[in-house]
Amino acid sequence: MKKFLIKSCLVALFAATLVSCEEDRIIYSGGDFVTFENGGEERLSVFENAGTVTVPVHLSVPRTEDVTVNLSTTNGEAVSGADFNLLTTTVTIPAGETEAVASFSIVDNTDFGEAKTFVLSISGTSAPDIVLGLSGDIGTYQKTVSIVNDDCPSKYTIWVGDLDVEDVGYGITPGTGAVTPDGTCDILRVDNNLGGVPSMIAGTTFDLLFTPDFDGATTGTVEVKPTYTRMSGANFVTYSALGVYDEDTMTITLDYSVDARSGSANGPVLGNFWTGTNVIMPAQ
């Protein structure tokens, strides 16, 4: 049941709107370039049991000759040969085409441990005039790969992928679940608009910390610490939640609270103006 202790008109500050406008066109005037195609994200998370992982390599315009793209890796906590293997140090983009696929394999084991990282880079091409990546966007030519352990105490990865997020009494909205960028065990990152929650905190992400009831348990508790702050006037608004999870039914149930805080995200709580229950399941 919802409680309203503060009545106000809330504005969706974070609604994303894409506007097309002739005057706002941006034309790239530099030379040809080669990039990793999956956006400019610097981190790429893969599970330890993923097997072979592919990453598209994209050329900005087709060439009349084949283009060889050189790849390299740099060890971090993850070590080549022990934790991963780059399957080829070069890929070829054929003449007239714009894409090839780089690949690496992950070494699986049964040991529990936190995520390990290594760096995958585009290190050169057979055509000296081709620029590596987009200027200032390191994620377009270099990826920090997090190898996420698949032997965590909880099986929180059940919820990685498309989700149905219900705000009980206010309907179901779509969301996505993912590991955190650094691949921390037992923390699920959910992106969702939180259903019936005030639009002041709609369109946000929140991290769920899983704690099994005991070693090997398929049930446990879930916590969302007060965060995901939105500012209202001089004050801040936070979402926090406590709940439970059940791996057998693939259900997470959260009793949440939305609070107003004074001065900063960690300031004194002025009051609660919204409570409710979120139920999260893999999308049907």
Side-chain angles (χ1 to χ4, degrees):
M1 182 178 188
K2 309 285 183 186
K3 314 189 280 193
F4 297 88
L5 301 185
I6 299 175
K7 185 176 181 181
S8 62
C9 178
L10 298 170
V11 179
L13 298 179
F14 287 80
T17 303
L18 180 63
V19 178
S20 177
C21 179
E22 288 293 326
E23 291 77 14
D24 291 339
R25 284 182 178 174
I26 297 175
I27 300 175
Y28 178 74
S29 58
D32 297 348
F33 58 90
V34 62
T35 65
F36 287 125
E37 195 175 40
N38 56 336
E41 294 292 332
E42 290 186 33
R43 283 188 174 270
L44 172 65
S45 295
V46 298
F47 290 112
E48 188 182 67
N49 61 353
T52 298
V53 179
T54 58
V55 183
V57 177
H58 186 76
L59 186 63
S60 58
V61 294
R63 289 267 178 138
T64 57
E65 72 284 350
D66 292 353
V67 175
T68 300
V69 180
N70 302 322
L71 304 166
S72 64
T73 61
T74 303
N75 292 342
E77 298 89 353
V79 177
S80 178
D83 301 299
F84 69 92
N85 292 286
L86 183 62
L87 297 182
T88 178
T89 57
T90 63
V91 294
T92 299
I93 301 175
E97 298 184 18
T98 58
E99 186 175 288
V101 176
S103 58
F104 57 89
S105 62
I106 304 298
V107 178
D108 196 6
N109 60 44
T110 58
D111 300 328
F112 166 67
E114 292 299 337
K116 299 178 180 180
T117 63
F118 70 94
V119 176
L120 173 67
S121 303
I122 297 174
S123 54
T125 74
S126 58
D129 62 311
I130 294 178
V131 177
L132 306 185
L134 292 173
S135 177
D137 195 348
I138 191 171
T140 61
Y141 64 92
Q142 188 176 96
K143 300 291 184 185
T144 298
V145 181
S146 294
I147 302 176
V148 182
N149 200 295
D150 64 332
D151 302 300
C152 296
S154 76
K155 298 302 179 186
Y156 74 109
T157 55
I158 291 172
W159 292 276
V160 170
D162 294 334
L163 299 173
D164 288 334
V165 182
E166 181 180 6
D167 195 349
V168 176
Y170 288 80
I172 297 174
T173 54
T176 56
V179 298
T180 58
D182 58 3
T184 304
C185 268
D186 297 325
I187 297 181
L188 178 75
R189 177 157 293 180
V190 174
D191 184 4
N192 176 257
N193 67 9
L194 299 178
V197 176
S199 57
M200 183 63 72
I201 62 169
T204 189
T205 59
F206 49 104
D207 290 346
L208 280 63
L209 173 62
F210 287 64
T211 303
D213 287 332
F214 52 86
D215 187 25
T218 60
T219 58
T221 59
V222 180
E223 179 181 7
V224 181
K225 294 183 178 180
T227 183
Y228 322 109
T229 304
R230 301 291 181 262
M231 187 168 65
S232 176
N235 300 318
F236 288 74
V237 180
T238 61
Y239 171 95
S240 58
L242 291 172
V244 296
Y245 72 89
D246 187 327
E247 295 170 5
D248 294 327
T249 63
M250 296 188 289
T251 303
I252 301 169
T253 303
L254 294 169
D255 293 321
Y256 70 79
S257 174
V258 178
D259 300 295
R261 293 174 178 263
S262 176
S264 72
N266 298 314
V269 177
L270 297 177
N272 170 264
F273 65 92
W274 195 281
T275 61
T277 300
N278 287 137
V279 177
I280 301 174
M281 299 183 68
Q284 300 299 308

PDB file of all heavy atoms in Angstrom, residues 193-219:
ATOM      1  N   ASN A 193      12.346   1.767 -14.848  1.00  0.00           N
ATOM      2  CA  ASN A 193      11.747   3.034 -14.434  1.00  0.00           C
ATOM      3  C   ASN A 193      10.955   2.933 -13.137  1.00  0.00           C
ATOM      4  O   ASN A 193      10.301   3.888 -12.722  1.00  0.00           O
ATOM      5  CB  ASN A 193      10.850   3.595 -15.543  1.00  0.00           C
ATOM      6  CG  ASN A 193       9.619   2.733 -15.794  1.00  0.00           C
ATOM      7  OD1 ASN A 193       9.337   1.802 -15.032  1.00  0.00           O
ATOM      8  ND2 ASN A 193       8.900   3.026 -16.853  1.00  0.00           N
ATOM      9  N   LEU A 194      11.005   1.758 -12.485  1.00  0.00           N
ATOM     10  CA  LEU A 194      10.405   1.554 -11.161  1.00  0.00           C
ATOM     11  C   LEU A 194       8.896   1.734 -11.131  1.00  0.00           C
ATOM     12  O   LEU A 194       8.317   2.042 -10.094  1.00  0.00           O
ATOM     13  CB  LEU A 194      11.069   2.473 -10.126  1.00  0.00           C
ATOM     14  CG  LEU A 194      12.567   2.232  -9.931  1.00  0.00           C
ATOM     15  CD1 LEU A 194      13.141   3.207  -8.933  1.00  0.00           C
ATOM     16  CD2 LEU A 194      12.831   0.806  -9.472  1.00  0.00           C
ATOM     17  N   GLY A 195       8.254   1.510 -12.254  1.00  0.00           N
ATOM     18  CA  GLY A 195       6.791   1.435 -12.277  1.00  0.00           C
ATOM     19  C   GLY A 195       6.088   2.644 -11.684  1.00  0.00           C
ATOM     20  O   GLY A 195       6.242   3.757 -12.147  1.00  0.00           O
ATOM     21  N   GLY A 196       5.313   2.414 -10.630  1.00  0.00           N
ATOM     22  CA  GLY A 196       4.495   3.468 -10.048  1.00  0.00           C
ATOM     23  C   GLY A 196       5.233   4.437  -9.151  1.00  0.00           C
ATOM     24  O   GLY A 196       4.649   5.368  -8.622  1.00  0.00           O
ATOM     25  N   VAL A 197       6.536   4.218  -8.934  1.00  0.00           N
ATOM     26  CA  VAL A 197       7.306   5.141  -8.110  1.00  0.00           C
ATOM     27  C   VAL A 197       7.278   6.522  -8.733  1.00  0.00           C
ATOM     28  O   VAL A 197       7.224   6.657  -9.957  1.00  0.00           O
ATOM     29  CB  VAL A 197       8.765   4.637  -7.976  1.00  0.00           C
ATOM     30  CG1 VAL A 197       9.621   5.621  -7.201  1.00  0.00           C
ATOM     31  CG2 VAL A 197       8.780   3.285  -7.286  1.00  0.00           C
ATOM     32  N   PRO A 198       7.297   7.588  -7.927  1.00  0.00           N
ATOM     33  CA  PRO A 198       7.246   8.935  -8.499  1.00  0.00           C
ATOM     34  C   PRO A 198       8.260   9.129  -9.613  1.00  0.00           C
ATOM     35  O   PRO A 198       9.375   8.614  -9.555  1.00  0.00           O
ATOM     36  CB  PRO A 198       7.583   9.831  -7.300  1.00  0.00           C
ATOM     37  CG  PRO A 198       7.126   9.057  -6.115  1.00  0.00           C
ATOM     38  CD  PRO A 198       7.392   7.618  -6.460  1.00  0.00           C
ATOM     39  N   SER A 199       7.862   9.880 -10.619  1.00  0.00           N
ATOM     40  CA  SER A 199       8.718  10.070 -11.777  1.00  0.00           C
ATOM     41  C   SER A 199      10.018  10.774 -11.435  1.00  0.00           C
ATOM     42  O   SER A 199      10.947  10.780 -12.240  1.00  0.00           O
ATOM     43  CB  SER A 199       7.974  10.856 -12.857  1.00  0.00           C
ATOM     44  OG  SER A 199       7.533  12.100 -12.334  1.00  0.00           O
ATOM     45  N   MET A 200      10.134  11.333 -10.239  1.00  0.00           N
ATOM     46  CA  MET A 200      11.376  11.974  -9.835  1.00  0.00           C
ATOM     47  C   MET A 200      12.537  10.992  -9.857  1.00  0.00           C
ATOM     48  O   MET A 200      13.682  11.371 -10.085  1.00  0.00           O
ATOM     49  CB  MET A 200      11.227  12.568  -8.437  1.00  0.00           C
ATOM     50  CG  MET A 200      12.448  13.325  -7.925  1.00  0.00           C
ATOM     51  SD  MET A 200      12.812  14.765  -8.926  1.00  0.00           S
ATOM     52  CE  MET A 200      11.476  15.840  -8.436  1.00  0.00           C
ATOM     53  N   ILE A 201      12.287   9.697  -9.644  1.00  0.00           N
ATOM     54  CA  ILE A 201      13.379   8.730  -9.681  1.00  0.00           C
ATOM     55  C   ILE A 201      13.177   7.698 -10.781  1.00  0.00           C
ATOM     56  O   ILE A 201      13.773   6.645 -10.757  1.00  0.00           O
ATOM     57  CB  ILE A 201      13.555   8.020  -8.320  1.00  0.00           C
ATOM     58  CG1 ILE A 201      12.310   7.228  -7.947  1.00  0.00           C
ATOM     59  CG2 ILE A 201      13.918   8.996  -7.236  1.00  0.00           C
ATOM     60  CD1 ILE A 201      12.539   6.323  -6.755  1.00  0.00           C
ATOM     61  N   ALA A 202      12.332   8.013 -11.736  1.00  0.00           N
ATOM     62  CA  ALA A 202      12.102   7.080 -12.838  1.00  0.00           C
ATOM     63  C   ALA A 202      13.294   7.067 -13.786  1.00  0.00           C
ATOM     64  O   ALA A 202      14.027   8.040 -13.905  1.00  0.00           O
ATOM     65  CB  ALA A 202      10.842   7.466 -13.595  1.00  0.00           C
ATOM     66  N   GLY A 203      13.455   5.963 -14.479  1.00  0.00           N
ATOM     67  CA  GLY A 203      14.515   5.847 -15.454  1.00  0.00           C
ATOM     68  C   GLY A 203      15.881   5.812 -14.812  1.00  0.00           C
ATOM     69  O   GLY A 203      16.741   6.628 -15.118  1.00  0.00           O
ATOM     70  N   THR A 204      16.102   4.880 -13.902  1.00  0.00           N
ATOM     71  CA  THR A 204      17.352   4.859 -13.158  1.00  0.00           C
ATOM     72  C   THR A 204      17.893   3.446 -13.063  1.00  0.00           C
ATOM     73  O   THR A 204      17.305   2.497 -13.560  1.00  0.00           O
ATOM     74  CB  THR A 204      17.134   5.435 -11.748  1.00  0.00           C
ATOM     75  OG1 THR A 204      18.385   5.596 -11.100  1.00  0.00           O
ATOM     76  CG2 THR A 204      16.269   4.515 -10.903  1.00  0.00           C
ATOM     77  N   THR A 205      19.047   3.289 -12.440  1.00  0.00           N
ATOM     78  CA  THR A 205      19.614   1.981 -12.171  1.00  0.00           C
ATOM     79  C   THR A 205      19.812   1.814 -10.680  1.00  0.00           C
ATOM     80  O   THR A 205      20.028   2.796  -9.960  1.00  0.00           O
ATOM     81  CB  THR A 205      20.975   1.800 -12.871  1.00  0.00           C
ATOM     82  OG1 THR A 205      21.876   2.812 -12.423  1.00  0.00           O
ATOM     83  CG2 THR A 205      20.831   1.882 -14.379  1.00  0.00           C
ATOM     84  N   PHE A 206      19.721   0.581 -10.221  1.00  0.00           N
ATOM     85  CA  PHE A 206      19.955   0.324  -8.808  1.00  0.00           C
ATOM     86  C   PHE A 206      20.611  -1.025  -8.647  1.00  0.00           C
ATOM     87  O   PHE A 206      20.378  -1.945  -9.435  1.00  0.00           O
ATOM     88  CB  PHE A 206      18.661   0.426  -7.977  1.00  0.00           C
ATOM     89  CG  PHE A 206      17.486  -0.332  -8.509  1.00  0.00           C
ATOM     90  CD1 PHE A 206      17.088  -1.532  -7.923  1.00  0.00           C
ATOM     91  CD2 PHE A 206      16.737   0.144  -9.581  1.00  0.00           C
ATOM     92  CE1 PHE A 206      15.989  -2.236  -8.391  1.00  0.00           C
ATOM     93  CE2 PHE A 206      15.635  -0.549 -10.058  1.00  0.00           C
ATOM     94  CZ  PHE A 206      15.269  -1.751  -9.464  1.00  0.00           C
ATOM     95  N   ASP A 207      21.487  -1.148  -7.652  1.00  0.00           N
ATOM     96  CA  ASP A 207      22.257  -2.365  -7.424  1.00  0.00           C
ATOM     97  C   ASP A 207      21.656  -3.168  -6.281  1.00  0.00           C
ATOM     98  O   ASP A 207      21.422  -2.641  -5.195  1.00  0.00           O
ATOM     99  CB  ASP A 207      23.710  -2.034  -7.085  1.00  0.00           C
ATOM    100  CG  ASP A 207      24.472  -1.490  -8.277  1.00  0.00           C
ATOM    101  OD1 ASP A 207      23.971  -1.603  -9.408  1.00  0.00           O
ATOM    102  OD2 ASP A 207      25.575  -0.950  -8.077  1.00  0.00           O
ATOM    103  N   LEU A 208      21.426  -4.463  -6.530  1.00  0.00           N
ATOM    104  CA  LEU A 208      20.875  -5.370  -5.534  1.00  0.00           C
ATOM    105  C   LEU A 208      21.993  -6.246  -4.981  1.00  0.00           C
ATOM    106  O   LEU A 208      22.666  -6.950  -5.729  1.00  0.00           O
ATOM    107  CB  LEU A 208      19.802  -6.276  -6.157  1.00  0.00           C
ATOM    108  CG  LEU A 208      18.390  -5.705  -6.352  1.00  0.00           C
ATOM    109  CD1 LEU A 208      18.383  -4.539  -7.319  1.00  0.00           C
ATOM    110  CD2 LEU A 208      17.448  -6.798  -6.852  1.00  0.00           C
ATOM    111  N   LEU A 209      22.189  -6.188  -3.669  1.00  0.00           N
ATOM    112  CA  LEU A 209      23.199  -7.012  -3.006  1.00  0.00           C
ATOM    113  C   LEU A 209      22.541  -8.276  -2.468  1.00  0.00           C
ATOM    114  O   LEU A 209      21.639  -8.214  -1.641  1.00  0.00           O
ATOM    115  CB  LEU A 209      23.854  -6.231  -1.869  1.00  0.00           C
ATOM    116  CG  LEU A 209      24.814  -7.017  -0.973  1.00  0.00           C
ATOM    117  CD1 LEU A 209      25.988  -7.549  -1.785  1.00  0.00           C
ATOM    118  CD2 LEU A 209      25.304  -6.144   0.182  1.00  0.00           C
ATOM    119  N   PHE A 210      22.995  -9.455  -2.946  1.00  0.00           N
ATOM    120  CA  PHE A 210      22.427 -10.739  -2.565  1.00  0.00           C
ATOM    121  C   PHE A 210      23.244 -11.353  -1.426  1.00  0.00           C
ATOM    122  O   PHE A 210      24.471 -11.408  -1.496  1.00  0.00           O
ATOM    123  CB  PHE A 210      22.454 -11.708  -3.754  1.00  0.00           C
ATOM    124  CG  PHE A 210      21.458 -11.404  -4.836  1.00  0.00           C
ATOM    125  CD1 PHE A 210      21.519 -10.230  -5.573  1.00  0.00           C
ATOM    126  CD2 PHE A 210      20.455 -12.308  -5.138  1.00  0.00           C
ATOM    127  CE1 PHE A 210      20.602  -9.960  -6.570  1.00  0.00           C
ATOM    128  CE2 PHE A 210      19.527 -12.047  -6.129  1.00  0.00           C
ATOM    129  CZ  PHE A 210      19.605 -10.870  -6.845  1.00  0.00           C
ATOM    130  N   THR A 211      22.546 -11.860  -0.405  1.00  0.00           N
ATOM    131  CA  THR A 211      23.200 -12.586   0.688  1.00  0.00           C
ATOM    132  C   THR A 211      22.444 -13.883   0.918  1.00  0.00           C
ATOM    133  O   THR A 211      21.294 -13.866   1.365  1.00  0.00           O
ATOM    134  CB  THR A 211      23.201 -11.763   1.989  1.00  0.00           C
ATOM    135  OG1 THR A 211      23.846 -10.504   1.765  1.00  0.00           O
ATOM    136  CG2 THR A 211      23.944 -12.507   3.092  1.00  0.00           C
ATOM    137  N   PRO A 212      23.052 -15.038   0.599  1.00  0.00           N
ATOM    138  CA  PRO A 212      22.366 -16.320   0.807  1.00  0.00           C
ATOM    139  C   PRO A 212      22.037 -16.547   2.278  1.00  0.00           C
ATOM    140  O   PRO A 212      22.753 -16.079   3.171  1.00  0.00           O
ATOM    141  CB  PRO A 212      23.383 -17.348   0.302  1.00  0.00           C
ATOM    142  CG  PRO A 212      24.300 -16.584  -0.598  1.00  0.00           C
ATOM    143  CD  PRO A 212      24.377 -15.214  -0.020  1.00  0.00           C
ATOM    144  N   ASP A 213      20.955 -17.293   2.542  1.00  0.00           N
ATOM    145  CA  ASP A 213      20.567 -17.599   3.922  1.00  0.00           C
ATOM    146  C   ASP A 213      21.629 -18.441   4.625  1.00  0.00           C
ATOM    147  O   ASP A 213      21.821 -18.336   5.837  1.00  0.00           O
ATOM    148  CB  ASP A 213      19.216 -18.330   3.943  1.00  0.00           C
ATOM    149  CG  ASP A 213      18.056 -17.408   3.620  1.00  0.00           C
ATOM    150  OD1 ASP A 213      18.167 -16.201   3.890  1.00  0.00           O
ATOM    151  OD2 ASP A 213      17.036 -17.896   3.096  1.00  0.00           O
ATOM    152  N   PHE A 214      22.297 -19.297   3.871  1.00  0.00           N
ATOM    153  CA  PHE A 214      23.392 -20.094   4.407  1.00  0.00           C
ATOM    154  C   PHE A 214      24.192 -20.615   3.218  1.00  0.00           C
ATOM    155  O   PHE A 214      23.782 -20.440   2.059  1.00  0.00           O
ATOM    156  CB  PHE A 214      22.879 -21.263   5.278  1.00  0.00           C
ATOM    157  CG  PHE A 214      21.851 -22.122   4.610  1.00  0.00           C
ATOM    158  CD1 PHE A 214      22.218 -23.187   3.791  1.00  0.00           C
ATOM    159  CD2 PHE A 214      20.489 -21.863   4.796  1.00  0.00           C
ATOM    160  CE1 PHE A 214      21.260 -23.970   3.161  1.00  0.00           C
ATOM    161  CE2 PHE A 214      19.529 -22.648   4.169  1.00  0.00           C
ATOM    162  CZ  PHE A 214      19.911 -23.709   3.348  1.00  0.00           C
ATOM    163  N   ASP A 215      25.327 -21.215   3.473  1.00  0.00           N
ATOM    164  CA  ASP A 215      26.179 -21.702   2.401  1.00  0.00           C
ATOM    165  C   ASP A 215      25.428 -22.715   1.535  1.00  0.00           C
ATOM    166  O   ASP A 215      24.940 -23.732   2.027  1.00  0.00           O
ATOM    167  CB  ASP A 215      27.430 -22.356   2.996  1.00  0.00           C
ATOM    168  CG  ASP A 215      28.440 -22.732   1.927  1.00  0.00           C
ATOM    169  OD1 ASP A 215      28.418 -22.097   0.859  1.00  0.00           O
ATOM    170  OD2 ASP A 215      29.240 -23.654   2.167  1.00  0.00           O
ATOM    171  N   GLY A 216      25.320 -22.413   0.243  1.00  0.00           N
ATOM    172  CA  GLY A 216      24.624 -23.301  -0.683  1.00  0.00           C
ATOM    173  C   GLY A 216      23.134 -23.081  -0.774  1.00  0.00           C
ATOM    174  O   GLY A 216      22.450 -23.777  -1.530  1.00  0.00           O
ATOM    175  N   ALA A 217      22.596 -22.099  -0.041  1.00  0.00           N
ATOM    176  CA  ALA A 217      21.150 -21.845  -0.051  1.00  0.00           C
ATOM    177  C   ALA A 217      20.698 -21.268  -1.383  1.00  0.00           C
ATOM    178  O   ALA A 217      21.438 -20.541  -2.051  1.00  0.00           O
ATOM    179  CB  ALA A 217      20.768 -20.895   1.073  1.00  0.00           C
ATOM    180  N   THR A 218      19.460 -21.579  -1.764  1.00  0.00           N
ATOM    181  CA  THR A 218      18.862 -21.003  -2.972  1.00  0.00           C
ATOM    182  C   THR A 218      17.955 -19.825  -2.640  1.00  0.00           C
ATOM    183  O   THR A 218      17.304 -19.276  -3.523  1.00  0.00           O
ATOM    184  CB  THR A 218      18.055 -22.065  -3.738  1.00  0.00           C
ATOM    185  OG1 THR A 218      17.019 -22.568  -2.895  1.00  0.00           O
ATOM    186  CG2 THR A 218      18.954 -23.203  -4.192  1.00  0.00           C
ATOM    187  N   THR A 219      17.910 -19.446  -1.385  1.00  0.00           N
ATOM    188  CA  THR A 219      17.143 -18.286  -0.945  1.00  0.00           C
ATOM    189  C   THR A 219      18.049 -17.387  -0.120  1.00  0.00           C
ATOM    190  O   THR A 219      19.117 -17.797   0.350  1.00  0.00           O
ATOM    191  CB  THR A 219      15.935 -18.694  -0.080  1.00  0.00           C
ATOM    192  OG1 THR A 219      16.421 -19.439   1.059  1.00  0.00           O
ATOM    193  CG2 THR A 219      14.967 -19.554  -0.868  1.00  0.00           C
TER     194      THR A 219
END
